[in-house]
Amino acid sequence: VDLVEYAYGLPEQQVLGAPDWAKQARYDIAAEPDTEGQPSDEQRQHMYQKLLADRFKLAAHRDKQEFSVYALIVENGEPKLTKSNADPQSRSGSFYNQGPHGGSLLTFFGESMADFASSLMGVVKDRLVVDQTGLQGRFDFPLTFALDPLAADAGAAPDIFQAVQKQLGLKLEPTKARVEVLVIDHRSEERRVGKECRSRW
């Protein structure tokens, strides 16, 4: 399921029809690109899709379904974000440090709002997070928060909802939205795949 998430750019919650073994089994996969140079993220995702179809006999289609979500929106006025000067082709990411007064400090760089919404799903567990900010481009920004504000090491760090609102000028608003999903139509049984897959993309 990790391979499917990366190949189609969707989190596990938006991958429907995956069997239980797909979430538990682990594989060693050796493959090499069929093009010269370093593949871009988009090219690499396409290669993974081909690998999944070849080795796992995966057939799937995209659809939309309604979910309870947190919509990431701009609260009022201008958000507290800095436009990134990073190369548009470079990867986004984040650095982790302990917060100055407790909690966690994540420093994001080259982050789009869609990427940030996906990152928030690692913190907010009860709903999907969808980007409805309308903000284009990529941004650099720090965010200090506590996973559990009542924990001993949380200090004065706020929870993720307060942190996003006060530090970024954004808001996580509960609502319903139609969200893109990947519906798995066909796949190999685990016993037919084998624990080591070798393929040429």
Side-chain angles (χ1 to χ4, degrees):
V1 77
D2 292 333
L3 292 170
V4 175
E5 286 181 54
Y6 177 76
Y8 289 92
L10 294 172
E12 182 180 338
Q13 301 96 312
Q14 290 165 250
V15 177
L16 307 182
D20 289 340
W21 67 260
K23 303 175 184 179
Q24 300 163 0
R26 296 176 179 272
Y27 298 89
D28 297 323
I29 298 176
E32 54 185 71
D34 58 3
T35 58
E36 295 183 2
Q38 184 70 19
S40 67
D41 281 344
E42 184 177 353
Q43 290 173 321
R44 192 177 289 108
Q45 284 181 305
H46 183 63
M47 291 171 181
Y48 271 72
Q49 291 175 24
K50 290 169 63 178
L51 184 148
L52 286 163
D54 176 37
R55 292 300 179 180
F56 293 84
K57 308 307 177 189
L58 180 72
H61 70 275
R62 294 182 185 267
D63 199 357
K64 286 196 173 184
Q65 294 190 14
E66 188 174 82
F67 285 84
S68 294
V69 304
Y70 287 112
L72 181 67
I73 61 174
V74 177
E75 186 182 25
N76 285 307
E78 290 294 322
K80 303 171 185 176
L81 303 168
T82 302
K83 277 281 189 179
S84 178
N85 292 321
D87 183 341
Q89 300 303 317
S90 65
R91 291 189 176 186
S92 61
S94 62
F95 293 112
Y96 167 82
N97 289 286
Q98 289 186 336
H101 304 292
S104 302
L105 169 60
L106 289 179
T107 303
F108 293 89
F109 57 91
E111 193 85 342
S112 70
M113 288 296 98
D115 289 338
F116 181 51
S118 296
S119 299
L120 287 172
M121 284 195 283
V123 181
V124 179
K125 302 293 186 179
D126 58 327
R127 297 184 182 216
L128 299 174
V129 180
V130 296
D131 170 33
Q132 294 185 0
T133 62
L135 298 175
Q136 303 298 315
R138 304 169 77 179
F139 303 89
D140 301 329
F141 55 93
L143 185 66
T144 300
F145 64 95
L147 286 173
D148 179 3
L150 299 179
D153 62 350
D159 66 24
I160 189 65
F161 297 92
Q162 293 175 316
V164 166
Q165 189 170 6
K166 294 181 178 179
Q167 298 171 32
L168 304 182
L170 305 176
K171 187 177 181 180
L172 288 167
E173 186 171 80
T175 186
K176 288 185 178 292
R178 287 182 62 79
V179 175
E180 185 178 35
V181 296
L182 184 76
V183 181
I184 295 178
D185 301 311
H186 180 268
R187 81 282 175 186
S188 291
E189 296 298 327
E190 181 187 10
R191 64 179 181 274
R192 296 181 181 175
V193 177
K195 290 296 182 182
E196 182 170 328
C197 299
R198 294 188 178 276
S199 178
R200 184 173 181 83
W201 283 325

